Amino acid sequence: MSIMHKEFTSILKKIRMDKPLVHHITNYVTANDCANVVLSLGGAPVMADDPIEVEEMVSIASSLVLNIGTINHNKIEAFIKAGKKANQLGIPVILDPVGVGATSLRSEAIKEILAEVKISVLRGNMSEIKNIYGVKSLTRGVDSSDDTMAGGREIAESLAKTLKCIIAITGKIDIVSDGRKTYYINHGHERLTKITGTGCMTTSLIGLCCGAKESYLYGAILGVVIMAASGEKAYNQLEDIGTYRVKLMDYISRFSIEEIGGGEKIHEAN
Amino acid sequence: MSIMHKEFTSILKKIRMDKPLVHHITNYVTANDCANVVLSLGGAPVMADDPIEVEEMVSIASSLVLNIGTINHNKIEAFIKAGKKANQLGIPVILDPVGVGATSLRSEAIKEILAEVKISVLRGNMSEIKNIYGVKSLTRGVDSSDDTMAGGREIAESLAKTLKCIIAITGKIDIVSDGRKTYYINHGHERLTKITGTGCMTTSLIGLCCGAKESYLYGAILGVVIMAASGEKAYNQLEDIGTYRVKLMDYISRFSIEEIGGGEKIHEAN
Amino acid sequence: MSIMHKEFTSILKKIRMDKPLVHHITNYVTANDCANVVLSLGGAPVMADDPIEVEEMVSIASSLVLNIGTINHNKIEAFIKAGKKANQLGIPVILDPVGVGATSLRSEAIKEILAEVKISVLRGNMSEIKNIYGVKSLTRGVDSSDDTMAGGREIAESLAKTLKCIIAITGKIDIVSDGRKTYYINHGHERLTKITGTGCMTTSLIGLCCGAKESYLYGAILGVVIMAASGEKAYNQLEDIGTYRVKLMDYISRFSIEEIGGGEKIHEAN
């Protein structure tokens, strides 16, 4: 893990130095949490979603986070406009397909975004990623009950190649792949599933880490690792959800490379 | 209270087993808190309010929460569409008339919802419920300063009969009635009034409990009891509002039937 | 500081007695935090932004907070309608120009608001206030890197005279001026910059204090002081951001005149 440590350290240093502005077009349920994780680690979050201002806003940003929770028609226009502008300027775009598959509006939105915008990192849970995988590979059915790690690796690698982006699947074990290299992250705790927005926050953390403009692959891994390692450390079986949320934010804000020890819980698939 | 214990236990077990999806069309002020209470107790919250997707979303949900805070015209269309679809599918609809009476837009919205959608549970504070009661029973004036328990029971029972739904009035003493049976809940603490969203969260908890599809009356009572009993336990006179909010979430997330002891603080009106 | 103590005490007493309704037209990122600070100190927050209902809502309010975060076209219409109605009724209007200068939409919105609505208090950080100052005094360039205290005083006083309102510039040292008298507030802690929404919350606190209808100058100072003094007291170097947020809310909710001691950290510029 010595390489990972070097890359992670470099990204974290860059964040503290550059204070990357992370432009979010996101939902109103978890926007506050997303802003707080970005800010607590040294970044600068901004939320702006009127189609009229998103191109200007993303032009001064270091990365763009598109999150389709509480989606509506205005936001879809904003996603496309901001995404295209980010592409022109070489600003990384991180996509969170919240609830894709649940409604046609969300599925169509994702299809439109993927057709119009070059995505740097796509982060979702297994069900969301499988849904998109199914959409992109119509010749092959996707069994939504098949969420084994093995199936995850195959999907992550295949989708990464098709979409030419990093795929991050978060769950019991997180999987991050650029289509050639694939990593498993064994950090985390089940209690993270009892808090709303841990997925959205992870996407924002990836936005922050990619905003450091070092490596999108390592940026995606580090974003996932910060949430998973913090969620693991924050857990105390004597405490309940309210206190756990507070401690999760404590651990995220104090995250440093020391929190992952020798990196034993992060390994490359072979 | 042995009957109540049995009903409550059955609902709580069903929630843990079925993980009811609670579709919210709600305000952006308290959406995060509402999502967190539903999730912490074992349910699955989803917030979706574009009129284009609400019918599809509610179709996969176990219950529908309509909350008119931060209302606008698009949301009214969404309320009606989602509500009608829920009615077709036999999915319970829980209505929170936040601030009804303060503006014509809110009053008209409530009138339209009540005319177009069959509501399962209506939860509000005394002032909101009285406002609706006045609207529905124009022959009788409603004195907004009359918020005695006795007046509350009469209004709850009468409105429950008129609207053919459960009425939950939350306040110092909570009142829940289906028009025939009426219950008083003496749990709670005044400090709950110092936190925003405790009303909205109670409505979401009712949505969760009714999503168990056992009994809407007991579901409404249990939703009210979870908030009131947790707010009571969380209080510590040496602590202030920030800590109280955290502990409130702790107690909600760990709620079990043991928290209400022998049920001494819940009784049927006679 | 004996005068200040008397004024502050009078405002705090009035808040507890009158429970001022603070109507917010604000962003969805920090709305929950803003509602909670107002409520925890004894006020009543309401968020309503549909242009159709804002005039009615502000008519029953004690103050109006206009915050341009997550701005969109509907909100601009709401700002103007609500602001004009507040002016007619003598209700104080507090403006928070979040991110003005970042996009034309925000700059145009502020220009339109300032042209159409009489503002009582304008609160922003140095960069936002300088941007507005530049817009209003085109004959003079504004160096955005010049954020010394001295420059701040000049800008605050000049802008206060031009706009005929109170200017509150928050930062390491806060500056509040009505154009004739200028005050420095040395309370605060750098950690406040690591939490999202401390600016928005300060604006809401000013809204609450001005809603007491005692003095807008002292109301603005007190709003700034409550946040700064609470942020200072909440800091503990052994704790991290999650816990700090909770304690900040604890200190805000328990704020009393005793928290600022003899007022040594608040002084008038001479």
Side-chain angles (χ1 to χ4, degrees):
Chain A
M1 278 305 97
S2 52
I3 295 171
M4 207 78 98
H5 267 83
K6 204 183 121 202
E7 293 278 354
F8 285 178
T9 303
S10 170
I11 292 171
L12 291 169
K13 196 177 291 177
K14 202 83 179 299
I15 289 171
R16 262 135 217 171
M17 256 172 39
D18 295 355
K19 210 179 164 169
L21 184 68
V22 184
H23 176 194
H24 289 71
I25 304 178
T26 191
N27 67 78
Y28 54 72
V29 183
T30 65
N32 185 269
D33 291 331
C34 291
N36 269 315
V37 294
V38 168
L39 196 56
S40 78
L41 273 168
V46 68
M47 275 64 179
D49 60 18
D50 191 305
I52 293 166
E53 74 165 350
V54 293
E55 288 168 302
E56 260 181 291
M57 193 60 94
V58 79
S59 300
I60 56 169
S62 298
S63 63
L64 173 66
V65 169
L66 307 179
N67 176 309
I68 71 165
T70 61
I71 199 172
N72 60 45
H73 262 69
N74 278 332
K75 277 192 193 167
I76 297 176
E77 193 190 336
F79 290 147
I80 304 298
K81 278 193 170 175
K84 283 185 167 179
K85 177 59 90 177
N87 285 172
Q88 281 171 30
L89 300 171
I91 294 164
V93 181
I94 293 84
L95 177 62
D96 190 329
V98 180
V100 64
T103 68
S104 317
L105 182 67
R106 298 191 187 214
S107 300
E108 292 302 319
I110 288 298
K111 253 191 252 186
E112 197 178 336
I113 294 170
L114 291 177
E116 304 273 344
V117 180
K118 163 99 190 68
I119 299 300
S120 307
V121 185
L122 171 67
R123 189 219 63 86
N125 60 34
M126 187 62 87
S127 151
E128 288 157 352
I129 298 296
K130 278 188 176 168
N131 183 280
I132 294 173
Y133 183 62
V135 165
K136 303 303 297 179
S137 340
L138 291 170
T139 55
R140 206 202 115 129
V142 167
D143 176 7
S144 69
S145 67
D146 165 30
D147 54 352
T148 59
M149 214 167 81
R153 178 186 178 173
E154 186 187 45
I155 290 170
E157 292 181 351
S158 171
L159 197 54
K161 280 174 196 156
T162 312
L163 299 179
K164 293 180 181 47
C165 74
I166 315 292
I167 302 293
I169 308 176
T170 52
K172 198 166 159 29
I173 294 171
D174 307 306
I175 302 170
V176 181
S177 179
D178 67 357
R180 291 165 302 133
K181 291 186 172 190
T182 300
Y183 296 87
Y184 295 124
I185 294 124
N186 278 290
H187 286 286
H189 194 280
E190 200 199 349
R191 187 165 279 181
L192 283 171
T193 65
K194 294 293 180 193
I195 295 181
T196 199
T198 51
C200 301
M201 285 186 259
T202 303
T203 304
S204 293
L205 289 170
I206 294 174
L208 176 64
C209 294
C210 289
K213 307 275 175 68
E214 293 278 300
S215 149
Y216 298 161
L217 176 59
Y218 286 108
I221 298 171
L222 181 53
V224 169
V225 164
I226 294 173
M227 177 56 73
S230 302
E232 191 180 317
K233 296 253 174 178
Y235 179 74
N236 177 327
Q237 65 168 39
L238 297 175
E239 293 168 351
D240 293 291
I241 301 296
T243 301
Y244 180 65
R245 282 190 76 206
V246 174
K247 294 210 171 164
L248 177 63
M249 184 59 77
D250 278 343
Y251 276 98
I252 290 173
S253 71
R254 83 162 69 133
F255 183 84
S256 75
I257 205 70
E258 283 72 35
E259 300 287 334
I260 57 168
E264 299 83 0
K265 294 192 175 177
I266 308 166
H267 51 273
E268 193 177 342
N270 43 33
Chain B
M1 278 305 98
S2 52
I3 295 172
M4 207 77 98
H5 267 82
K6 203 183 123 201
E7 293 278 354
F8 286 178
T9 303
S10 170
I11 292 172
L12 291 169
K13 196 177 292 176
K14 202 81 178 299
I15 289 172
R16 262 135 216 170
M17 257 172 38
D18 295 355
K19 210 179 164 169
L21 184 68
V22 184
H23 177 195
H24 289 71
I25 304 178
T26 191
N27 68 79
Y28 54 72
V29 182
T30 65
N32 185 269
D33 291 331
C34 291
N36 269 315
V37 294
V38 168
L39 196 55
S40 78
L41 272 168
V46 68
M47 275 65 179
D49 60 19
D50 190 305
I52 293 166
E53 74 166 351
V54 294
E55 287 168 303
E56 263 182 288
M57 194 60 94
V58 77
S59 300
I60 56 169
S62 297
S63 63
L64 174 65
V65 169
L66 306 179
N67 175 312
I68 72 165
T70 62
I71 199 171
N72 59 45
H73 263 69
N74 278 332
K75 277 193 193 166
I76 297 177
E77 193 189 338
F79 291 147
I80 303 298
K81 278 192 169 174
K84 282 185 168 180
K85 176 60 88 174
N87 284 170
Q88 280 170 30
L89 299 171
I91 293 164
V93 181
I94 294 82
L95 177 61
D96 190 329
V98 180
V100 64
T103 68
S104 316
L105 182 66
R106 298 191 186 214
S107 299
E108 292 302 318
I110 288 299
K111 251 191 250 182
E112 197 178 337
I113 294 169
L114 291 177
E116 303 274 342
V117 179
K118 164 101 190 67
I119 300 300
S120 307
V121 184
L122 171 67
R123 188 220 64 85
N125 59 33
M126 187 62 87
S127 151
E128 289 157 351
I129 297 296
K130 278 188 177 168
N131 183 280
I132 295 172
Y133 182 63
V135 166
K136 304 301 297 181
S137 340
L138 291 169
T139 53
R140 206 201 114 126
V142 168
D143 176 7
S144 70
S145 67
D146 165 30
D147 54 353
T148 59
M149 214 166 83
R153 177 185 179 173
E154 186 187 44
I155 289 170
E157 292 180 352
S158 170
L159 196 53
K161 280 175 198 156
T162 312
L163 299 178
K164 293 181 180 50
C165 74
I166 314 292
I167 302 294
I169 307 176
T170 52
K172 197 165 160 29
I173 294 171
D174 307 305
I175 302 170
V176 181
S177 178
D178 67 357
R180 288 165 305 134
K181 290 185 173 191
T182 301
Y183 296 87
Y184 296 124
I185 295 127
N186 278 291
H187 286 285
H189 194 280
E190 200 198 350
R191 188 165 277 182
L192 283 170
T193 64
K194 294 294 181 192
I195 295 181
T196 197
T198 51
C200 302
M201 287 187 258
T202 303
T203 304
S204 293
L205 289 171
I206 294 173
L208 176 64
C209 294
C210 288
K213 305 276 175 67
E214 293 277 300
S215 149
Y216 298 160
L217 175 60
Y218 286 107
I221 297 170
L222 181 54
V224 169
V225 164
I226 293 173
M227 177 56 73
S230 301
E232 188 179 317
K233 295 252 174 181
Y235 179 74
N236 178 328
Q237 67 170 38
L238 298 175
E239 294 169 349
D240 293 291
I241 301 296
T243 301
Y244 181 65
R245 280 189 79 207
V246 174
K247 294 211 171 163
L248 176 64
M249 184 60 75
D250 277 344
Y251 276 98
I252 290 172
S253 72
R254 84 161 68 129
F255 182 84
S256 75
I257 206 69
E258 283 73 35
E259 300 288 334
I260 57 168
E264 299 83 0
K265 294 193 176 177
I266 308 164
H267 52 270
E268 193 177 340
N270 45 31
Chain C
M1 277 305 97
S2 52
I3 295 171
M4 206 79 97
H5 266 82
K6 202 183 124 201
E7 293 278 354
F8 286 178
T9 303
S10 170
I11 292 172
L12 291 169
K13 195 178 292 179
K14 202 85 178 298
I15 289 171
R16 262 137 216 167
M17 255 171 40
D18 294 356
K19 210 180 163 168
L21 184 68
V22 184
H23 176 196
H24 289 72
I25 304 178
T26 190
N27 68 79
Y28 55 73
V29 182
T30 65
N32 185 268
D33 291 331
C34 291
N36 269 315
V37 294
V38 168
L39 196 55
S40 78
L41 272 167
V46 69
M47 275 66 178
D49 60 20
D50 191 306
I52 294 166
E53 74 166 350
V54 293
E55 288 169 302
E56 261 181 290
M57 194 60 94
V58 77
S59 301
I60 57 169
S62 296
S63 64
L64 173 66
V65 170
L66 307 180
N67 175 310
I68 71 164
T70 63
I71 199 172
N72 60 44
H73 261 69
N74 278 331
K75 276 192 194 167
I76 297 176
E77 193 189 336
F79 291 147
I80 304 298
K81 277 193 169 174
K84 283 185 168 180
K85 177 59 88 176
N87 284 170
Q88 281 170 30
L89 299 171
I91 293 164
V93 181
I94 293 85
L95 176 62
D96 190 329
V98 180
V100 64
T103 68
S104 317
L105 183 66
R106 296 190 189 214
S107 298
E108 292 304 318
I110 289 298
K111 249 191 255 185
E112 197 178 336
I113 294 169
L114 292 178
E116 303 273 344
V117 179
K118 164 102 191 65
I119 300 300
S120 308
V121 185
L122 171 67
R123 188 220 63 86
N125 59 34
M126 186 63 86
S127 151
E128 289 156 352
I129 297 297
K130 279 189 176 169
N131 183 279
I132 294 172
Y133 183 61
V135 165
K136 302 303 295 180
S137 339
L138 292 169
T139 54
R140 204 202 118 128
V142 167
D143 176 8
S144 70
S145 67
D146 165 30
D147 54 352
T148 59
M149 214 167 82
R153 178 186 177 173
E154 187 187 43
I155 290 170
E157 291 180 352
S158 171
L159 196 54
K161 279 174 196 153
T162 313
L163 299 179
K164 293 180 180 49
C165 73
I166 314 291
I167 302 293
I169 307 177
T170 52
K172 199 165 159 28
I173 293 171
D174 307 306
I175 302 171
V176 181
S177 178
D178 67 356
R180 289 166 303 133
K181 291 187 173 189
T182 301
Y183 296 87
Y184 296 124
I185 294 124
N186 279 289
H187 285 287
H189 194 280
E190 199 198 349
R191 186 163 280 180
L192 283 170
T193 65
K194 294 293 180 192
I195 295 182
T196 199
T198 50
C200 302
M201 286 186 261
T202 303
T203 304
S204 293
L205 289 170
I206 294 174
L208 176 64
C209 294
C210 288
K213 305 275 174 70
E214 293 278 301
S215 148
Y216 297 160
L217 175 60
Y218 286 109
I221 297 171
L222 181 55
V224 169
V225 164
I226 293 173
M227 176 56 73
S230 302
E232 190 180 317
K233 297 252 174 180
Y235 179 73
N236 178 327
Q237 66 169 40
L238 298 176
E239 294 169 349
D240 293 290
I241 301 295
T243 301
Y244 180 65
R245 281 189 78 206
V246 174
K247 292 210 172 162
L248 176 63
M249 184 59 76
D250 277 344
Y251 277 98
I252 291 172
S253 72
R254 83 164 69 131
F255 182 84
S256 74
I257 206 69
E258 282 74 34
E259 300 288 334
I260 56 168
E264 298 82 0
K265 295 194 175 176
I266 308 165
H267 52 271
E268 193 177 341
N270 44 31

